[in-house]
Amino acid sequence: MSETPESPRPLENEPAENRQHENQPPQRPNPPRPVTPGSQASFGTYGGRPVSFVRRGTRLQGRRQAAWEEHSDRWAVDVPRHVANTSVHPDYTFDAEAEFGRRAPLIVEVGSGLGDAVCHAAEENPDKDFLAVEVYTPGLANTMIKINSRGLTNVRVVEANAPEVLATMLPPGSVSELWIFFPDPWHKSRHHKRRLIQPEFAELAAKALKPGGLWRIATDWSNYAVHVRDVLAGSTAFVNMHDGERRGPESPLTHVWQTGVESLVGGAPVKEGRAPVSTEHTGPNEGIDETGGWAPRFEGRIRTSFENKAHEAGRMIFDLCYRRV
């Protein structure tokens, strides 16, 4: 819960004119603002505390600024704010049928980046509606440029914090599929608590997804892949659509462990004449992954420049797919 700090006491040497007048009633601190139950704020991650996303920038220039001014009224969902400029007021509910003018399956992508994946999917699936959730304003502007240039009518964007979108903005059971592709891995052990996919987030995802709805996840870091697999193995709301599959020698995790690729190659391809860069945070090496559970690559996900960089760096891509019980 957010708290309001106590009013400071006057200092002994403070000038009298700066002190509260004796005849005035004592000033009361502002009451704490209500916080959305189950939201990011309720987890104590606003107000300078760790957040599950990095807001890289909000400044718009050139064509992005022009796109925002011209298209945001049409393609960006205007949500009332709450405790931060990316928060969602708990009283607001997104009405997809009214927004899109029809009743269709709703697919939500969290962390839509520059909009490559969501716009490609929307173009390929005109019978479905898409909501791109992102806190990176230039990325949202880029997405709107793609929406407009391709003549898409089945995509909306929202500049908002994903846990609050799932907790209160989206009606329970209204989402057909939830996509999270290549979330920030937060490599260092002390930063793992900042990873987006945690047990609390899984509860919010389960609330928003309809029974039978799918949660698709992709990451290019083995440690995060194992983290996700462990988190959702402990959830009674989801079942792994590929439980036990691609284990042993067929597992991408086995490949990473046996080749040591992540300990040799870091976030970018090794340039000629340069030494490899290691993250040194690839997780324990067990040699053989006997658990498996990895999905085949999701064919509906376009191969973006981000994913291409992972391939160029020699990293494996881990896909996971879960069904809402």
Coordinates of all heavy atoms in Angstrom, one line a residue, residues 83-144:
V83 N -2.0 5.8 -9.7 CA -0.9 6.3 -8.9 C 0.3 6.6 -9.7 O 1.3 7.0 -9.1 CB -0.6 5.2 -7.8 CG1 -1.7 5.0 -6.9 CG2 -0.2 3.9 -8.5
A84 N 0.3 6.4 -11.0 CA 1.5 6.8 -11.8 C 1.0 7.0 -13.2 O -0.2 6.7 -13.6 CB 2.5 5.6 -11.8
N85 N 1.9 7.6 -14.0 CA 1.4 7.9 -15.4 C 1.3 6.7 -16.3 O 1.0 6.8 -17.5 CB 2.3 9.0 -16.0 CG 3.8 8.5 -16.1 OD1 4.1 7.4 -15.7 ND2 4.7 9.4 -16.5
T86 N 1.7 5.5 -15.8 CA 1.4 4.3 -16.6 C 0.4 3.4 -15.9 O 0.2 2.3 -16.3 CB 2.7 3.5 -16.8 OG1 3.3 3.2 -15.6 CG2 3.7 4.3 -17.7
S87 N -0.2 3.9 -14.8 CA -1.1 3.1 -14.1 C -2.6 3.2 -14.7 O -2.8 4.0 -15.5 CB -1.2 3.5 -12.6 OG -1.7 4.8 -12.5
V88 N -3.4 2.3 -14.2 CA -4.8 2.3 -14.7 C -5.7 2.4 -13.5 O -5.6 1.7 -12.5 CB -5.1 1.0 -15.4 CG1 -6.6 1.0 -15.9 CG2 -4.1 0.8 -16.6
H89 N -6.7 3.4 -13.6 CA -7.6 3.5 -12.4 C -8.4 2.2 -12.3 O -8.9 1.7 -13.3 CB -8.5 4.7 -12.6 CG -9.2 5.1 -11.4 ND1 -10.3 4.5 -10.9 CD2 -8.9 6.1 -10.5 CE1 -10.7 5.1 -9.8 NE2 -9.9 6.1 -9.5
P90 N -8.6 1.8 -11.1 CA -9.3 0.5 -10.9 C -10.8 0.5 -11.3 O -11.4 -0.5 -11.5 CB -9.2 0.2 -9.3 CG -8.9 1.6 -8.8 CD -8.1 2.3 -9.8
D91 N -11.3 1.7 -11.4 CA -12.8 1.8 -11.8 C -12.9 1.6 -13.3 O -14.1 1.5 -13.8 CB -13.4 3.1 -11.3 CG -13.5 3.2 -9.8 OD1 -13.5 2.1 -9.2 OD2 -13.6 4.3 -9.3
Y92 N -11.8 1.7 -14.1 CA -12.0 1.7 -15.5 C -11.9 0.2 -16.1 O -11.1 -0.6 -15.6 CB -10.8 2.4 -16.2 CG -10.8 2.3 -17.7 CD1 -11.7 2.9 -18.5 CD2 -9.8 1.5 -18.3 CE1 -11.6 2.7 -19.9 CE2 -9.7 1.3 -19.7 CZ -10.7 1.9 -20.5 OH -10.6 1.8 -21.8
T93 N -12.9 -0.1 -17.0 CA -13.0 -1.4 -17.6 C -12.9 -1.2 -19.1 O -13.7 -0.4 -19.7 CB -14.2 -2.1 -17.2 OG1 -14.3 -2.3 -15.8 CG2 -14.3 -3.5 -17.8
F94 N -12.1 -2.0 -19.8 CA -12.0 -1.9 -21.2 C -13.1 -2.7 -21.9 O -13.3 -3.9 -21.6 CB -10.6 -2.5 -21.7 CG -10.4 -2.5 -23.1 CD1 -10.3 -1.4 -23.9 CD2 -10.3 -3.8 -23.8 CE1 -10.1 -1.4 -25.3 CE2 -10.1 -3.8 -25.2 CZ -10.0 -2.6 -25.9
D95 N -13.8 -2.1 -22.8 CA -15.0 -2.7 -23.5 C -14.5 -3.0 -24.9 O -14.6 -2.2 -25.8 CB -16.2 -1.8 -23.5 CG -17.4 -2.5 -24.0 OD1 -17.3 -3.5 -24.8 OD2 -18.5 -2.0 -23.8
A96 N -14.0 -4.2 -25.1 CA -13.4 -4.6 -26.4 C -14.5 -4.5 -27.5 O -14.2 -4.1 -28.7 CB -12.8 -6.0 -26.4
E97 N -15.7 -5.0 -27.2 CA -16.7 -5.0 -28.2 C -17.1 -3.6 -28.7 O -17.3 -3.4 -29.9 CB -18.0 -5.7 -27.7 CG -19.1 -5.9 -28.7 CD -20.2 -6.8 -28.2 OE1 -20.1 -7.4 -27.1 OE2 -21.3 -6.8 -28.9
A98 N -17.2 -2.7 -27.8 CA -17.4 -1.3 -28.1 C -16.3 -0.7 -28.9 O -16.4 0.1 -29.8 CB -17.8 -0.5 -26.9
E99 N -15.0 -1.0 -28.4 CA -13.8 -0.4 -29.0 C -13.7 -0.8 -30.5 O -13.3 0.0 -31.4 CB -12.6 -0.8 -28.2 CG -11.3 -0.2 -28.7 CD -11.2 1.3 -28.7 OE1 -11.7 1.9 -27.7 OE2 -10.7 1.9 -29.6
F100 N -13.9 -2.1 -30.7 CA -13.6 -2.7 -32.1 C -14.9 -2.8 -32.9 O -14.8 -3.0 -34.1 CB -13.0 -4.1 -32.0 CG -11.6 -4.1 -31.4 CD1 -11.3 -4.4 -30.1 CD2 -10.5 -3.8 -32.2 CE1 -10.0 -4.4 -29.6 CE2 -9.2 -3.8 -31.7 CZ -9.0 -4.1 -30.4
G101 N -16.0 -2.5 -32.3 CA -17.3 -2.5 -33.0 C -17.7 -3.9 -33.4 O -18.5 -4.1 -34.4
R102 N -17.3 -4.9 -32.7 CA -17.6 -6.3 -33.0 C -17.3 -7.2 -31.9 O -16.6 -6.8 -30.9 CB -16.9 -6.8 -34.3 CG -15.4 -6.9 -34.1 CD -14.8 -7.5 -35.3 NE -13.3 -7.7 -35.2 CZ -12.5 -8.2 -36.1 NH1 -13.0 -8.7 -37.2 NH2 -11.2 -8.3 -35.9
R103 N -17.7 -8.4 -31.9 CA -17.3 -9.4 -30.9 C -16.4 -10.4 -31.6 O -16.8 -11.1 -32.5 CB -18.6 -10.1 -30.3 CG -18.2 -11.2 -29.3 CD -19.5 -11.7 -28.7 NE -20.3 -10.7 -28.0 CZ -21.4 -10.9 -27.4 NH1 -22.0 -12.2 -27.4 NH2 -22.1 -10.0 -26.7
A104 N -15.2 -10.5 -31.1 CA -14.1 -11.3 -31.7 C -13.2 -11.7 -30.6 O -13.1 -11.1 -29.6 CB -13.4 -10.6 -32.8
P105 N -12.4 -12.8 -30.8 CA -11.4 -13.2 -29.9 C -10.4 -12.1 -29.7 O -10.0 -11.4 -30.6 CB -10.7 -14.4 -30.5 CG -11.7 -15.0 -31.5 CD -12.5 -13.8 -32.0
L106 N -10.0 -11.8 -28.4 CA -9.1 -10.8 -28.1 C -7.7 -11.4 -27.7 O -7.6 -12.2 -26.8 CB -9.6 -9.9 -26.9 CG -8.7 -8.8 -26.4 CD1 -8.5 -7.8 -27.5 CD2 -9.3 -8.2 -25.1
I107 N -6.7 -10.9 -28.4 CA -5.3 -11.3 -28.1 C -4.6 -10.1 -27.5 O -4.6 -9.1 -28.1 CB -4.6 -11.9 -29.3 CG1 -5.4 -13.1 -29.8 CG2 -3.2 -12.2 -29.0 CD1 -4.8 -13.7 -31.1
V108 N -3.9 -10.3 -26.4 CA -3.2 -9.2 -25.7 C -1.7 -9.6 -25.7 O -1.3 -10.6 -25.3 CB -3.7 -9.1 -24.2 CG1 -2.9 -8.0 -23.5 CG2 -5.2 -8.7 -24.2
E109 N -0.9 -8.6 -26.2 CA 0.5 -8.8 -26.2 C 1.1 -7.8 -25.2 O 0.9 -6.6 -25.3 CB 1.2 -8.5 -27.5 CG 2.7 -8.8 -27.4 CD 3.5 -8.5 -28.7 OE1 2.9 -7.9 -29.6 OE2 4.7 -8.9 -28.8
V110 N 1.8 -8.3 -24.2 CA 2.4 -7.5 -23.2 C 3.9 -7.3 -23.6 O 4.6 -8.2 -23.9 CB 2.4 -8.2 -21.8 CG1 3.3 -7.5 -20.8 CG2 0.9 -8.2 -21.3
G111 N 4.3 -6.0 -23.6 CA 5.6 -5.7 -24.1 C 5.7 -5.8 -25.6 O 6.6 -6.5 -26.1
S112 N 4.9 -5.0 -26.2 CA 4.8 -5.1 -27.7 C 5.9 -4.4 -28.4 O 6.0 -4.6 -29.7 CB 3.4 -4.5 -28.2 OG 3.2 -3.2 -27.7
G113 N 6.8 -3.7 -27.7 CA 7.9 -3.1 -28.4 C 7.5 -2.1 -29.5 O 6.7 -1.2 -29.3
L114 N 8.1 -2.4 -30.7 CA 7.9 -1.5 -31.8 C 6.7 -2.0 -32.6 O 6.4 -1.4 -33.7 CB 9.1 -1.5 -32.7 CG 10.4 -0.9 -32.1 CD1 11.5 -1.0 -33.1 CD2 10.2 0.5 -31.6
G115 N 6.0 -3.0 -32.2 CA 4.7 -3.4 -32.8 C 4.9 -4.4 -33.9 O 3.9 -4.7 -34.6
D116 N 6.1 -4.9 -34.2 CA 6.2 -5.8 -35.3 C 5.4 -7.1 -35.2 O 4.7 -7.5 -36.1 CB 7.7 -6.2 -35.4 CG 8.6 -5.1 -35.8 OD1 8.2 -4.3 -36.8 OD2 9.7 -4.9 -35.2
A117 N 5.4 -7.7 -34.0 CA 4.7 -9.0 -33.9 C 3.2 -8.8 -33.9 O 2.5 -9.5 -34.6 CB 5.1 -9.7 -32.6
V118 N 2.7 -7.8 -33.1 CA 1.3 -7.6 -33.0 C 0.7 -7.2 -34.4 O -0.4 -7.6 -34.7 CB 0.9 -6.7 -31.9 CG1 1.3 -5.2 -32.2 CG2 -0.5 -6.8 -31.5
C119 N 1.3 -6.3 -35.1 CA 0.8 -5.8 -36.4 C 0.8 -6.9 -37.4 O -0.1 -7.1 -38.2 CB 1.5 -4.6 -36.8 SG 1.2 -3.1 -35.8
H120 N 1.9 -7.7 -37.4 CA 1.9 -8.8 -38.4 C 0.8 -9.8 -38.1 O 0.1 -10.3 -39.0 CB 3.3 -9.6 -38.3 CG 3.4 -10.8 -39.1 ND1 3.6 -10.8 -40.4 CD2 3.2 -12.1 -38.7 CE1 3.6 -12.1 -40.9 NE2 3.4 -12.9 -39.8
A121 N 0.6 -10.2 -36.8 CA -0.4 -11.1 -36.4 C -1.8 -10.6 -36.8 O -2.7 -11.3 -37.2 CB -0.3 -11.4 -34.9
A122 N -2.0 -9.3 -36.5 CA -3.3 -8.7 -36.8 C -3.6 -8.7 -38.3 O -4.7 -8.9 -38.8 CB -3.3 -7.2 -36.3
E123 N -2.5 -8.5 -39.1 CA -2.7 -8.5 -40.6 C -3.0 -9.9 -41.1 O -3.8 -10.1 -42.0 CB -1.4 -8.0 -41.2 CG -1.5 -7.6 -42.7 CD -0.3 -6.9 -43.2 OE1 0.8 -7.0 -42.5 OE2 -0.4 -6.2 -44.2
E124 N -2.4 -10.9 -40.4 CA -2.7 -12.3 -40.8 C -4.0 -12.9 -40.2 O -4.5 -13.9 -40.7 CB -1.5 -13.2 -40.3 CG -0.1 -12.9 -41.0 CD -0.1 -13.2 -42.4 OE1 -0.6 -14.4 -42.8 OE2 0.3 -12.4 -43.3
N125 N -4.5 -12.2 -39.2 CA -5.7 -12.7 -38.6 C -6.8 -11.6 -38.4 O -7.0 -11.1 -37.3 CB -5.4 -13.3 -37.2 CG -4.4 -14.4 -37.2 OD1 -4.8 -15.6 -37.4 ND2 -3.1 -14.1 -37.1
P126 N -7.4 -11.2 -39.5 CA -8.4 -10.1 -39.5 C -9.6 -10.4 -38.7 O -10.4 -9.5 -38.3 CB -8.7 -9.9 -41.0 CG -8.4 -11.2 -41.6 CD -7.2 -11.7 -40.9
D127 N -9.8 -11.7 -38.4 CA -11.0 -12.1 -37.6 C -10.8 -12.0 -36.1 O -11.6 -12.3 -35.3 CB -11.4 -13.6 -37.9 CG -10.3 -14.5 -37.7 OD1 -9.1 -14.2 -37.9 OD2 -10.6 -15.7 -37.3
K128 N -9.6 -11.6 -35.7 CA -9.2 -11.5 -34.3 C -8.8 -10.0 -34.0 O -8.4 -9.3 -34.8 CB -8.1 -12.4 -33.9 CG -8.4 -13.9 -34.1 CD -7.2 -14.8 -33.8 CE -7.6 -16.2 -34.1 NZ -6.4 -17.1 -33.8
D129 N -9.1 -9.6 -32.7 CA -8.7 -8.3 -32.2 C -7.5 -8.4 -31.3 O -7.3 -9.4 -30.6 CB -9.9 -7.6 -31.5 CG -11.0 -7.4 -32.4 OD1 -10.8 -7.1 -33.6 OD2 -12.2 -7.4 -31.9
F130 N -6.6 -7.3 -31.4 CA -5.4 -7.3 -30.7 C -5.2 -6.0 -29.8 O -5.5 -5.0 -30.3 CB -4.2 -7.4 -31.7 CG -4.2 -8.7 -32.4 CD1 -5.0 -8.9 -33.5 CD2 -3.3 -9.7 -32.0 CE1 -4.9 -10.1 -34.2 CE2 -3.3 -10.9 -32.7 CZ -4.1 -11.1 -33.8
L131 N -4.7 -6.2 -28.6 CA -4.4 -5.1 -27.7 C -2.9 -5.2 -27.4 O -2.4 -6.2 -26.8 CB -5.2 -5.2 -26.5 CG -5.0 -4.1 -25.5 CD1 -5.4 -2.7 -26.0 CD2 -5.7 -4.3 -24.1
A132 N -2.1 -4.1 -27.8 CA -0.7 -4.1 -27.5 C -0.5 -3.2 -26.3 O -0.9 -2.1 -26.2 CB 0.0 -3.4 -28.7
V133 N 0.1 -3.8 -25.2 CA 0.4 -3.2 -24.0 C 1.9 -2.9 -23.9 O 2.7 -3.8 -24.0 CB 0.0 -4.1 -22.8 CG1 0.2 -3.4 -21.4 CG2 -1.5 -4.5 -22.9
E134 N 2.2 -1.6 -23.7 CA 3.6 -1.2 -23.7 C 3.7 0.1 -22.8 O 2.8 0.9 -22.8 CB 4.0 -1.0 -25.1 CG 5.5 -0.5 -25.3 CD 6.5 -1.5 -24.7 OE1 6.7 -2.6 -25.3 OE2 7.0 -1.2 -23.6
V135 N 4.9 0.3 -22.2 CA 5.2 1.5 -21.5 C 6.2 2.4 -22.2 O 6.5 3.5 -21.8 CB 5.7 1.2 -20.1 CG1 4.6 0.5 -19.2 CG2 6.9 0.4 -20.1
Y136 N 6.7 1.9 -23.3 CA 7.7 2.6 -24.1 C 7.0 3.4 -25.1 O 6.6 2.9 -26.2 CB 8.7 1.6 -24.7 CG 9.8 2.2 -25.6 CD1 10.6 3.2 -25.1 CD2 10.0 1.7 -26.8 CE1 11.6 3.7 -25.9 CE2 11.1 2.2 -27.7 CZ 11.8 3.2 -27.2 OH 12.9 3.7 -28.0
T137 N 6.9 4.7 -24.9 CA 6.1 5.6 -25.7 C 6.5 5.6 -27.2 O 5.7 5.5 -28.1 CB 6.0 7.0 -25.2 OG1 5.7 7.0 -23.8 CG2 5.0 7.8 -25.9
P138 N 7.8 5.7 -27.5 CA 8.2 5.6 -28.9 C 7.8 4.3 -29.6 O 7.5 4.3 -30.8 CB 9.7 5.8 -28.8 CG 10.0 6.6 -27.6 CD 8.9 6.1 -26.6
G139 N 7.8 3.2 -28.8 CA 7.4 2.0 -29.4 C 5.9 2.0 -29.7 O 5.5 1.5 -30.8
L140 N 5.1 2.6 -28.9 CA 3.7 2.7 -29.2 C 3.4 3.6 -30.4 O 2.6 3.3 -31.3 CB 2.9 3.3 -28.0 CG 2.9 2.4 -26.8 CD1 2.3 3.1 -25.6 CD2 2.0 1.2 -27.0
A141 N 4.2 4.7 -30.5 CA 4.1 5.5 -31.7 C 4.5 4.8 -33.0 O 3.8 4.9 -34.0 CB 5.0 6.8 -31.6
N142 N 5.5 3.9 -32.9 CA 5.9 3.1 -34.0 C 4.8 2.1 -34.4 O 4.6 1.9 -35.6 CB 7.2 2.4 -33.7 CG 8.4 2.7 -34.6 OD1 8.9 3.8 -34.5 ND2 8.8 1.8 -35.4
T143 N 4.2 1.6 -33.4 CA 3.1 0.6 -33.6 C 2.0 1.3 -34.4 O 1.4 0.7 -35.3 CB 2.6 0.0 -32.3 OG1 3.7 -0.6 -31.6 CG2 1.5 -1.0 -32.6
M144 N 1.6 2.5 -34.0 CA 0.6 3.3 -34.6 C 0.9 3.6 -36.1 O 0.0 3.6 -37.0 CB 0.2 4.5 -33.9 CG -0.5 4.2 -32.6 SD -1.2 5.7 -31.8 CE 0.2 6.4 -31.0

